[in-house]
Amino acid sequence: MGIHGLMSYIGENHNFFNNIKLQNTKIVIDGNNLFHRLYFDSGLDLKHGGEYDSFTDTIYKFFEALSICNISPYVVFDGGCDCSDKKFETIKQRAKEKILKAHTISRGGRGTVLPLLAPEVFKQVLMQLQVPFVQCHSEADRDIVALANQWNCPVLTLDSDFCIFDLKAGYCPLNYFKWKNITVLKDHSDFYISAQCFSIENFCNHFNHLNKALLPLFAVLNGNDYINLPFMENFFTRVHFHARTSSAGRKNTRIQGLLNWLAEFSEPKEAIENILKHLKQSELEKVRAVLYYHMDEYIQSDVDLAMYFQNKEIGPHVPTVLANKAPEWILVALLKGELAPFLSDCLTLRRTFLHAQVENNRRSSSHRCSLYIRQVIYGLLISEETFPDATLGLSAKLPGKASLSTEEFGKVHYVQEYDRHEQTLRKINIQAVGKSFNSVKIHSLQRLPEISILDRTHFLLKTLKVKADVHALPANLHLTVYITCYWIAQAEPKVTLQHLQALLLCIVTGELHKLIYKPGNGNSTENGSEMVYERLSQLRQKVQQMGNLNVDVAHVFCQWQSCLLMGIYLNQLLCCPLPTPDITRLYSGTLIHCFYQELKSMASTENLLEGSLAADEMYSQLLHAVTATVPADFFSTGKKSKSRGKLKKKQTIVTSTDNGHQGLPLGNDANRFAALPNENCA
């Protein structure tokens, strides 16, 4: 949500704010707003697919600052789209804008598009820090207001709608929340964060003691993210608003004039009846109903989130559509943030929006690579009936037409996907696939948690079409390896050895960080691990030397992120038969592109990892686990590779694959690890 032009208007008048010192208090945080602002305001890279390790550090610092000042955060996230579809057109428009922004970024221009995995990274850090959070069943604004008023504490966000809500302890805009500069008293006995808190009383007093009950009507008349009342233009052309243009500026004349006009009335009903005098007789009842309906959006909800934070209980206020389609374990998992809003949208609306990434817009969307995983997710969610054969290959990815007839709608189970096509947004009907793989059958969404972990694991691996030997690897990397194998089999353009090596080096870097900085680790870290970690991390500095983004390389890694995200969603829906990957340091876009460039420049993985036996062994285990699942000549180009020496170890991994290939002694497979040709840069 957000009221057109209001945030910039109130920012020009500091009399609307009170200066406060935040300490020793609870604070309710708009989670979606915070992770956007923390990423964008920290100057993190946007064009290489996300700097999730640096983002993780920023999140840690933010909540550390709150802890120092004894501020107890409670984070509230938006859930799925509202079943009323009131914001559907706005969501579509924003999706189109993100596609264009991503394209601009890929060409070296400016723009802000949140990297794909950032929301999941944020939630994982909250869990690591044990910061309490909840995910609402739809937009969270009204629930946030109810919780803040129940606890009489401020709200932290950057959303002008919170200037309209009647908040007892006020609204602290994030751009006035100085968390990076904690104030310390001279004797170091106390700490606080300086902030400015929007005061609804100061605001209303500025407009001749405007009744704050009229503010929701102001929001509706002025317009917000989903309210557009074209029939009101007749009213605006007939009513003369008084505004001091010299102080407000032309862009704010309408806001100031509308507020001055509303101040003439004692309560909303009087103002609405005055508005109706300027409209046609045939419009009166419709307009009256519309105005009251949208004004209700600014009344706090009766959802008791305090009860949830205290007892982890589901409140009675679950949207009817969701309650009718989701078993209780799904509702609980959604509230806990253990299932993504993506899944609730599939369940209730049979519709999803796939997040734009900075990729090659001349190619098919990077999300096409993960389509089969989504088809299986849809099959689990949307029906208990028989589906087409789940062994359908990716040749059945995209139906040949964009919509189904009414007759087909009744016979085929599908989900509408909104995804990038070139530089536009396109809707495609994606058919769900069945819930049975050989002997493994998912009979019911209701009973899914009752199925054995072995069967759920088998179902997951059959979906990914992979049999990789991961026993030598940490459990938290198992799903990552399986998904990497799936990605190699499905990616277009084809994954090269250098792509794979760069990805694995990035994973190793993240694992080294966890090894080195693990609490209580002391001096037990293997000699050389810190040296290798620093060597790998410092390559990030070369990103400025790489020039224009290689969009084909970016596209390949965007596909991996899409596969990873959808693989995580499927694993979550199956009640996590495999450990969820720790993605906080799993991937760094700038680092992985620098690794790729180094490998193209004939650097070898041996040189990059030299000095750390732990790093060397982990890289070798990852590489062997993945390459044993592909044909022997998959990476062959007939040229020699600088990395061949690494692979001359006589280690055999015997693994059956869907194509019948058996793993071979990797040191004897010279063609598999040959050097690779250059890729086009855009």
Side-chain angles (χ1 to χ4, degrees):
M1 295 172 73
I3 298 166
H4 301 159
L6 183 59
M7 209 66 225
S8 60
Y9 174 69
I10 65 172
E12 294 174 358
N13 193 328
H14 292 288
N15 293 327
F16 297 153
F17 296 88
N18 293 325
N19 294 321
I20 61 172
K21 300 175 181 179
L22 269 179
Q23 58 180 175
N24 308 320
T25 182
K26 293 178 179 178
I27 191 167
V28 180
I29 299 176
D30 179 342
N32 294 71
N33 202 287
L34 179 61
F35 66 65
H36 278 87
R37 294 272 52 88
L38 286 182
Y39 198 97
F40 294 149
D41 295 346
S42 298
L44 300 177
D45 182 87
L46 293 168
K47 69 179 181 180
H48 293 96
E51 288 188 285
Y52 301 124
D53 51 349
S54 300
F55 184 42
T56 294
D57 292 336
T58 299
I59 302 166
Y60 267 89
K61 291 175 184 176
F62 177 84
F63 286 101
E64 181 183 19
L66 299 189
S67 178
I68 290 171
C69 299
N70 196 29
I71 299 171
S72 301
Y74 292 83
V75 181
V76 184
F77 291 101
D78 291 331
C81 296
D82 192 286
C83 294
S84 70
D85 260 357
K86 62 187 178 185
K87 289 189 69 174
F88 179 56
E89 291 303 321
T90 299
I91 294 169
K92 275 204 304 184
Q93 183 58 37
R94 287 184 175 175
K96 293 175 184 177
E97 292 169 358
K98 287 177 183 176
I99 290 170
L100 295 177
K101 287 179 181 179
H103 176 67
T104 299
I105 294 170
S106 74
R107 304 298 293 270
R110 293 181 175 274
T112 53
V113 175
L114 192 72
L116 185 66
L117 301 178
E120 294 301 314
V121 169
F122 185 74
K123 287 180 183 177
Q124 285 195 357
V125 175
L126 294 188
M127 288 187 278
Q128 292 170 8
L129 294 173
Q130 298 184 338
V131 173
F133 69 90
V134 65
Q135 182 175 271
C136 297
H137 288 305
S138 57
E139 192 168 47
D141 289 10
R142 296 172 66 235
D143 298 345
I144 289 173
V145 173
L147 180 63
N149 281 341
Q150 187 172 349
W151 284 343
N152 195 26
C153 68
V155 169
L156 183 64
T157 183
L158 189 60
D159 183 342
S160 55
D161 276 314
F162 286 89
C163 298
I164 305 301
F165 287 111
D166 190 4
L167 286 160
K168 294 178 182 178
Y171 148 50
C172 296
L174 269 164
N175 55 340
Y176 300 137
F177 186 72
K178 308 303 181 184
W179 66 271
K180 294 181 180 179
N181 301 303
I182 296 175
T183 302
V184 186
L185 297 183
K186 290 182 179 180
D187 60 358
H188 293 273
S189 63
D190 219 354
F191 306 86
Y192 64 86
I193 295 174
S194 297
Q196 289 187 329
C197 188
F198 176 79
S199 167
I200 196 170
E201 286 76 18
N202 293 359
F203 185 71
C204 289
N205 289 342
H206 180 80
F207 294 99
N208 197 26
H209 301 281
L210 171 71
N211 181 357
K212 59 186 176 183
L214 286 158
L215 290 179
L217 179 57
F218 157 73
V220 174
L221 294 175
N222 189 68
N224 63 20
D225 282 352
Y226 63 89
I227 300 174
N228 182 21
L229 307 177
F231 48 77
M232 291 301 299
E233 289 304 317
N234 190 38
F235 160 73
F236 285 115
T237 58
R238 296 188 180 188
V239 176
H240 179 66
F241 295 135
H242 300 284
R244 296 186 296 273
T245 306
S246 58
S247 62
R250 292 182 60 85
K251 64 179 180 180
N252 294 322
T253 299
R254 178 155 159 171
I255 289 176
Q256 184 170 293
L258 185 55
L259 288 165
N260 284 329
W261 181 80
L262 286 170
E264 299 173 7
F265 304 99
S266 60
E267 44 94 23
K269 182 179 179 180
E270 181 185 357
I272 289 174
E273 294 307 313
N274 190 283
I275 291 169
L276 297 179
K277 293 177 182 178
H278 300 278
L279 302 180
K280 297 177 182 178
Q281 186 68 31
S282 59
E283 297 175 336
L284 299 186
E285 292 307 314
K286 176 184 177 182
V287 172
R288 181 184 286 110
V290 167
L291 291 177
Y292 279 111
Y293 172 79
H294 287 302
M295 287 169 61
D296 286 345
E297 293 297 321
Y298 293 95
I299 300 174
Q300 72 177 45
S301 74
D302 52 3
V303 172
D304 190 355
L305 289 183
M307 180 181 70
Y308 171 81
F309 281 120
Q310 292 163 5
N311 306 315
K312 299 299 179 185
E313 294 180 4
I314 303 180
H317 305 286
V318 178
T320 304
V321 175
L322 182 59
N324 289 341
K325 295 187 177 183
E328 184 171 351
W329 74 266
I330 291 267
L331 299 177
V332 173
L334 285 169
L335 274 175
K336 291 181 178 180
E338 295 170 355
L339 294 177
F342 173 91
L343 299 175
S344 63
D345 285 346
C346 295
L347 192 60
T348 58
L349 299 173
R350 292 199 184 186
R351 183 178 69 218
T352 63
F353 283 82
L354 302 178
H355 189 78
Q357 297 194 78
V358 179
E359 57 191 27
N360 187 348
N361 282 5
R362 295 180 180 179
R363 293 187 178 274
S364 297
S365 165
S366 57
H367 292 297
R368 183 166 183 167
C369 190
S370 63
L371 177 58
Y372 187 69
I373 303 175
R374 295 197 303 279
Q375 287 181 287
V376 173
I377 290 173
Y378 302 156
L380 289 169
L381 286 172
I382 67 175
S383 176
E384 306 297 336
E385 302 173 25
T386 302
F387 285 83
D389 187 355
T391 59
L392 283 172
L394 285 174
S395 59
K397 284 183 186 180
L398 298 176
K401 49 188 175 181
S403 61
L404 298 178
S405 67
T406 304
E407 181 180 0
E408 290 172 318
F409 180 89
K411 295 180 179 179
V412 179
H413 300 285
Y414 75 97
V415 169
Q416 292 179 341
E417 288 189 347
Y418 286 82
D419 193 11
R420 180 188 64 78
H421 174 66
E422 297 177 347
Q423 294 182 44
T424 62
L425 183 69
R426 184 169 69 174
K427 179 184 74 174
I428 309 172
N429 295 305
I430 300 299
Q431 186 170 309
V433 300
K435 297 186 280 188
S436 171
F437 289 106
N438 298 331
S439 61
V440 184
K441 294 184 179 179
I442 306 296
H443 294 287
S444 163
L445 192 60
Q446 171 74 40
R447 298 182 58 189
L448 195 152
E450 302 170 18
I451 298 171
S452 73
I453 189 170
L454 183 63
D455 282 347
R456 283 182 278 122
T457 303
H458 187 46
F459 185 94
L460 176 61
L461 297 187
K462 277 292 185 178
T463 299
L464 299 176
K465 304 180 187 296
V466 64
K467 295 178 181 178
D469 187 343
V470 296
H471 73 276
L473 293 165
N476 68 294
L477 292 178
H478 289 185
L479 183 57
T480 301
V481 169
Y482 291 137
I483 289 169
T484 299
C485 296
Y486 173 92
W487 163 66
I488 289 173
Q490 308 299 339
E492 180 59 42
K494 178 183 174 182
V495 175
T496 66
L497 179 59
Q498 290 161 335
H499 290 132
L500 176 60
Q501 289 173 322
L503 174 63
L504 299 186
L505 285 172
C506 194
I507 293 172
V508 168
T509 304
E511 291 299 302
L512 285 176
H513 182 280
K514 287 189 285 187
L515 180 68
I516 295 166
Y517 295 101
K518 182 179 179 181
N521 202 33
N523 297 320
S524 63
T525 306
E526 173 222 33
N527 290 335
S529 291
E530 291 189 35
M531 176 187 68
V532 171
Y533 174 73
E534 290 301 321
R535 180 190 302 147
L536 296 174
S537 299
Q538 286 174 5
L539 285 175
R540 190 197 309 266
Q541 299 171 8
K542 293 188 176 183
V543 71
Q544 300 299 332
Q545 303 171 17
M546 293 195 306
N548 294 336
L549 177 68
N550 185 328
V551 290
D552 269 341
V553 174
H555 200 87
V556 169
F557 292 127
C558 283
Q559 290 178 91
W560 181 83
Q561 289 202 60
S562 179
C563 293
L564 181 68
L565 184 63
M566 293 304 157
I568 289 174
Y569 286 172
L570 177 59
N571 188 52
Q572 291 172 341
L573 187 57
L574 293 171
C575 304
C576 295
L578 296 178
T580 300
D582 178 357
I583 59 175
T584 57
R585 299 190 184 278
L586 189 67
Y587 182 95
S588 168
T590 51
L591 202 53
I592 204 169
H593 278 255
C594 289
F595 286 153
Y596 178 83
Q597 195 65 32
E598 285 292 297
L599 294 166
K600 279 188 66 179
S601 302
M602 301 307 289
S604 68
T605 55
E606 296 96 319
N607 292 339
L608 293 173
L609 298 172
E610 184 178 5
S612 171
L613 181 61
D616 180 85
E617 287 185 348
M618 180 172 293
Y619 174 82
S620 295
Q621 290 163 358
L622 286 165
L623 186 62
H624 294 159
V626 173
T627 55
T629 67
V630 300
D633 60 349
F634 186 86
F635 294 117
S636 176
T637 63
K639 299 180 182 180
K640 292 185 178 181
S641 170
K642 291 286 287 185
S643 299
R644 278 183 58 192
K646 162 71 68 180
L647 302 159
K648 289 185 179 179
K649 299 175 182 177
K650 302 296 183 178
Q651 179 175 348
T652 302
I653 297 179
V654 180
T655 306
S656 297
T657 64
D658 288 341
N659 56 31
H661 171 67
Q662 297 289 320
L664 299 172
L666 296 178
N668 295 335
D669 190 4
N671 289 332
R672 183 180 300 181
F673 306 103
L676 302 161
N678 292 339
E679 299 190 9
N680 295 329
C681 285

